[in-house]
Amino acid sequence: MSSLIGATSFEVFSLWAVLGIAMLGLAYALFLRAQVMGKDKGTSQMQEVWNSIRQGADAYLQLQLKTILPLIFILTAVLFFSVYVVPPSEEALVRFSNYPPGQVRVIIGVGRAIAFVMGAFFSLMVGQFGMRMAVEGNVRVAAAARTSYSEALKIAYRSGTITGMLTDGLGLLGGTLIFMAFGVAAPDALLGFGFGGTLLALFMRVGGGIYTKAADVGADLVGKVEAGIPEDDPRNAAVVADLVGDNVGDCAGMAADIFESYEVTIVAGLILGLGLHALTGELKWIIFPLLVRGIGVLSSIFGTYLVKGESKEKKGSALSSINKGFYASAAVSILAFFALAELYMNEWRAFLSVAVGIVLAIVIDEVTKYFTHTEYKPVKDIASSAQSGSATLILEGLSVGFESAVWQIIVIAATIFAAIFIYWGQPVLYVLYGVAMTGIGMLTLTGNNVAMDSFGPIADNANGIGEMAGLDKEARKVLTDLDAVGNTTKAITKGVAIGSAVIAAVSLFGSFLTDVTKVQASLGIPEVLRIMSTGIRISDPKVFVGLLIGGAVPWLFSSLMIKAVARAASLIVDEVRSQFRIPGLMEGKVKPDYRKAVAICTRAAQKELVGLGLIAVLSPLIIGIVLGVEALGGFLGGVILSGQLLAVFMASSGGAWDNAKKLIEDGLYGGKGSPAHKASVVGDTVGDPLKDTAGPALNPMIKVINLVSLLAAPILIQYSGVSLTSGMIVALLGAIVGGSVLYSKRGGFKQAQDPAAAPKA
């Protein structure tokens, strides 16, 4: 294989084996799809509700694609022509030594552009295909609940596993193909691959998050609080939009989010591995991350297939069965990693790095569970505070969110320190490689994690279909139990997604230092002045300014997203109140117009996509041009730290408020309809845009900023300094960002109708 000069026969065989494993993961997804599609879809009434959800979700994703395609085309061209600003790397000239430098430039430009499109397309496939399978699964889960608890669990989990295996298979396939084609020149294309996947994930997270929470908040405030009707009541005009939102937000958005973390950790691992290859001459540093990911795919196939549930009599076994599959995959992975490190790497450090990543995933699971699960004190305290009103409940939830952010960042800091300790005494490049391997280890069980996450909205949708289709009491109990388990699995995987985002961002930060140092060396800058030697010095005022601005960006981003949800939710509130006044609707004689609420949420989500995306893409360019590449490093540090703390705070407080509401709905402190319940619904609606919109969207935003910085760094170094051209570019970029912010802050709230006039159930 010409791209792998110096590779052993085992290494060449290993690469082909990894490619085969990626294909096996995709084949397993198709196998599960055939199983799910063969199940019964239930009664005509169930299928009518299901069709409304399916059509709403399809319409949203089609419109979203039309909205973002123009930007994808523009960025594809930008990535191709970027090679005409910065010449190909030395590695690219070595890899394609049979071609003249001019042709090498074209090859790299085409490779980077194709990799960007491939990353974007794969991310889109994971989100769209995974969401469609979730929609196909939900009605079949509801149908199975009429006869078998274990069958309903199996269908829900395997429907989610399809998305998980797509994430595994496509992420591994893309990274492996690019490395096999480009060899030591792979970083030139890998950055495009990671950027494409991350940008699409940002769009799907932003749009899906705004859609789902606008519908959810509007439906709950008018339905539960004002009218006093149950959740998913068919008289509520926003209920179908809410169920659609679960899919476009929690399925499509979350799947694309974890996929891009999966992509980015491979990208960072291979870039740092190539740096160690240049240092040591050994290809094992590059092959090892791919083999680890291949093992992860196999272990996920093994573990996910174990999740089958128990007999109908043993209800409540869903979470234990899912955990059994997760821990089985973890055990298989750790044993295989040990064998790989012993027999191939011939060192224990590589094994410890990936094993620490798996331990990190498990610990974050437990920390998240403690702060968001109904069994533990934080959620019970929030529920208790509901007795004195919504204000004390919100304050208690804020306290829980703040504390959870502290413990999670301590866990992540300890993990990174463990990576430092493992490579103690080695050059800093080894340490950064160890951090990247920790991220790869953490996402080894991506198939399991995405299956757990998708299980939540699938079970939620099935429960909603059961409510709207009037299933019998026994079936509703099954669906309620699965829905409660799904809330827990969603909260856990949000914690893993945030943790993986931080580790991936730190890995990219290491790649940033490596690439900047390489370009500085090519320009003849003395070694003592290169960034790998000097580090990011916050004692430099420009760097400190970059750090401050970087820390502020996640807050601005979150503010704009929450404002978008509040604005759209106010429109849903008006629409639901208006339809409640339709004669005969509250008596069940007339059906509401679900399509209007779906259309409101769809339009609201699409309006925010490009503006928020431009803020993430352009802000690092402005900092890099104005303050320089070292200050850009400070900017990245501020984004990572502030973004992680804010994301965990929002996800944990929102999840805790949600589960406190469920505790009360189960009969605590007066149950449904009580003053405590109404207070808890207010807390839940405050937490909804935090945990499902702004918080999760920070994950891809952090990585988009890091990848843009990586792509721009070589240009910023070569063309540093103040000039008329740079001033004009900054003015243009600043105007675009300022316009995006003003557009996102546009208008106020539509005058709401008098809630007192809303009919009561």
Side-chain angles (χ1 to χ4, degrees):
M1 191 180 293
S2 60
S3 64
L4 294 178
I5 300 169
T8 65
S9 56
F10 172 78
E11 288 169 336
V12 173
F13 170 78
S14 296
L15 275 180
W16 285 107
V18 168
L19 201 61
I21 291 171
M23 300 302 291
L24 177 64
L26 298 176
Y28 180 54
L30 293 176
F31 166 71
L32 294 179
R33 180 184 183 276
Q35 283 192 343
V36 171
M37 296 297 285
K39 303 298 182 181
D40 176 40
K41 291 194 288 187
T43 65
S44 58
Q45 191 174 1
M46 293 167 65
Q47 292 184 46
E48 182 183 354
V49 178
W50 167 71
N51 259 316
S52 298
I53 298 170
R54 181 178 59 83
Q55 290 167 5
D58 286 348
Y60 168 77
L61 287 182
Q62 288 169 11
L63 184 58
Q64 183 185 62
L65 185 59
K66 290 178 183 177
T67 303
I68 62 180
L69 272 179
L71 185 59
I72 297 300
F73 285 132
I74 293 170
L75 289 173
T76 301
V78 169
L79 287 171
F80 171 76
F81 288 110
S82 66
V83 296
Y84 288 92
V85 180
V86 178
S89 63
E90 291 182 17
E91 291 82 4
L93 295 173
V94 171
R95 165 65 184 91
F96 300 104
S97 57
N98 295 331
Y99 300 90
Q103 288 188 29
V104 173
R105 192 189 298 269
V106 174
I107 291 170
I108 296 300
V110 170
R112 182 176 287 179
I114 290 175
F116 171 74
V117 172
M118 184 166 68
F121 178 67
F122 282 4
S123 187
L124 192 69
M125 275 188 66
V126 167
Q128 293 227 5
F129 190 78
M131 187 217 72
R132 285 184 167 85
M133 280 314 304
V135 172
E136 293 290 346
N138 57 24
V139 69
R140 291 167 169 85
V141 172
R146 298 174 300 171
T147 56
S148 170
Y149 181 89
S150 61
E151 184 69 8
L153 165 62
K154 186 166 70 172
I155 295 171
Y157 189 77
R158 290 188 178 176
S159 298
T161 303
I162 294 168
T163 311
M165 297 318 300
L166 281 173
T167 304
D168 263 347
L170 291 175
L172 187 58
L173 179 67
T176 306
L177 283 175
I178 290 171
F179 177 68
M180 291 175 76
F182 285 84
V184 294
D188 289 297
L190 283 169
L191 289 175
F193 180 63
F195 183 43
T198 303
L199 190 65
L200 257 292
L202 178 64
F203 286 137
M204 298 185 85
R205 259 305 187 194
V206 169
I210 292 171
Y211 186 114
T212 183
K213 291 305 110 179
D216 197 0
V217 170
D220 281 358
L221 283 177
V222 185
K224 289 183 178 181
V225 177
E226 294 180 11
I229 62 177
E231 189 169 0
D232 298 325
D233 191 296
R235 294 171 291 179
N236 192 326
V239 71
V240 169
D242 188 10
L243 294 171
V244 170
D246 290 336
N247 292 289
V248 301
D250 283 331
C251 286
M254 184 65 162
D257 183 4
I258 293 184
F259 173 76
E260 53 90 14
S261 286
Y262 190 89
E263 269 189 344
V264 162
T265 49
I266 284 184
V267 169
L270 291 179
I271 290 174
L272 293 166
L274 285 161
L276 288 176
H277 168 256
L279 194 66
T280 65
E282 296 178 299
L283 275 171
K284 67 179 186 180
W285 305 105
I286 309 165
I287 304 296
F288 182 68
L290 294 172
L291 287 174
V292 166
R293 278 287 157 82
I295 290 168
V297 173
L298 293 176
S299 65
S300 285
I301 291 174
F302 171 73
T304 54
Y305 206 74
L306 291 178
V307 180
K308 299 179 181 180
E310 299 179 24
S311 66
K312 184 177 178 181
E313 288 72 31
K314 293 184 178 179
K315 294 182 180 178
S317 63
L319 189 56
S320 63
S321 182
I322 291 171
N323 284 335
K324 181 177 73 174
F326 180 83
Y327 287 112
S329 293
V332 169
S333 295
I334 288 175
L335 290 173
F337 294 160
F338 179 78
L340 181 64
E342 184 71 22
L343 300 176
Y344 173 56
M345 294 295 285
N346 298 314
E347 64 155 37
W348 52 269
R349 290 187 175 98
F351 163 70
L352 286 180
S353 295
V354 290
V356 163
I358 294 178
V359 172
L360 171 63
I362 293 171
V363 172
I364 284 183
D365 276 3
E366 295 303 318
V367 171
T368 305
K369 193 185 300 181
Y370 174 76
F371 284 104
T372 60
H373 198 280
T374 54
E375 293 180 358
Y376 298 103
K377 189 174 185 293
V379 171
K380 290 179 179 178
D381 286 348
I382 293 173
S384 177
S385 68
Q387 297 174 92
S388 52
S390 54
T392 51
L393 177 133
I394 289 172
L395 289 172
E396 188 70 31
L398 291 174
S399 172
V400 166
F402 288 137
E403 184 184 354
S404 69
V406 173
W407 289 110
Q408 278 215 25
I409 208 163
I410 287 173
V411 170
I412 291 172
T415 304
I416 295 173
F417 182 76
I420 296 170
F421 182 76
I422 289 167
Y423 282 98
W424 192 267
Q426 299 293 320
V428 68
L429 189 57
Y430 284 88
V431 175
L432 294 173
Y433 180 80
V435 173
M437 290 305 98
T438 298
I440 284 178
M442 184 180 186
L443 289 172
T444 292
L445 306 179
T446 289
N448 305 69
N449 283 324
V450 176
M452 289 168 66
D453 182 75
S454 296
F455 174 87
I458 291 168
D460 190 353
N461 266 216
N463 197 20
I465 290 171
E467 170 78 24
M468 296 182 72
L471 291 190
D472 62 81
K473 188 176 180 181
E474 188 67 18
R476 292 283 291 119
K477 283 182 179 178
V478 171
L479 294 172
T480 301
D481 181 72
L482 293 179
D483 189 11
V485 172
N487 283 322
T488 300
T489 58
K490 280 195 299 183
I492 289 171
T493 49
K494 279 186 177 69
V496 172
I498 295 167
S500 68
V502 176
I503 296 294
V506 173
S507 302
L508 286 175
F509 190 65
S511 302
F512 174 81
L513 297 176
T514 304
D515 277 11
V516 169
T517 300
K518 190 183 298 182
V519 175
Q520 288 174 328
S522 69
L523 294 175
I525 295 174
E527 185 174 352
V528 293
L529 297 179
R530 296 173 197 165
I531 203 166
M532 192 66 84
S533 299
T534 63
I536 305 295
R537 301 164 296 179
I538 61 171
S539 57
D540 183 333
K542 288 194 297 184
V543 175
F544 197 77
V545 169
L547 180 73
L548 293 175
I549 297 174
V553 167
W555 295 81
L556 173 65
F557 202 81
S558 301
S559 167
L560 296 177
M561 289 202 66
I562 292 170
K563 187 176 182 66
V565 171
R567 185 166 50 234
S570 71
L571 299 176
I572 293 293
V573 165
D574 268 358
E575 182 61 34
V576 176
R577 285 175 180 166
S578 175
Q579 293 203 33
F580 274 165
R581 296 184 176 88
I582 296 173
L585 187 141
M586 295 303 289
E587 292 78 24
K589 298 176 182 177
V590 179
K591 285 188 176 181
D593 186 347
Y594 299 121
R595 291 174 298 177
K596 284 189 177 180
V598 169
I600 289 170
C601 293
T602 301
R603 287 195 302 268
Q606 300 309 314
K607 287 179 180 178
E608 309 297 333
L609 287 178
V610 176
L612 288 167
L614 287 173
I615 293 171
V617 171
L618 300 182
S619 58
L621 299 180
I622 295 172
I623 296 298
I625 295 171
V626 174
L627 299 176
V629 73
E630 189 178 342
L632 179 57
F635 176 82
L636 296 181
V639 167
I640 294 169
L641 175 60
S642 174
Q644 194 275 341
L645 286 169
L646 194 53
V648 174
F649 157 70
M650 290 193 286
S652 295
S653 56
W657 277 319
D658 189 1
N659 277 334
K661 177 198 70 176
K662 286 179 170 56
L663 269 181
I664 294 171
E665 287 180 341
D666 288 341
L668 201 64
Y669 307 124
K672 292 182 180 179
S674 66
H677 179 234
K678 290 186 177 182
S680 71
V681 171
V682 172
D684 181 37
T685 53
V686 171
D688 272 340
L690 301 186
K691 69 179 174 67
D692 290 327
T693 306
L698 291 178
N699 302 340
M701 184 216 73
I702 291 169
K703 283 167 283 186
V704 164
I705 288 175
N706 273 268
L707 282 163
V708 169
S709 301
L710 257 174
L711 288 163
I715 301 172
L716 295 172
I717 295 169
Q718 292 207 50
Y719 298 94
S720 60
V722 179
S723 67
L724 178 61
T725 302
S726 64
M728 291 174 64
I729 291 172
V730 168
L732 175 62
L733 297 181
I736 294 172
V737 170
S740 298
V741 172
L742 290 175
Y743 179 76
S744 292
K745 289 170 65 67
R746 70 195 179 283
F749 294 98
K750 182 179 176 182
Q751 181 62 44
Q753 299 166 9
D754 180 12
K760 304 295 181 184

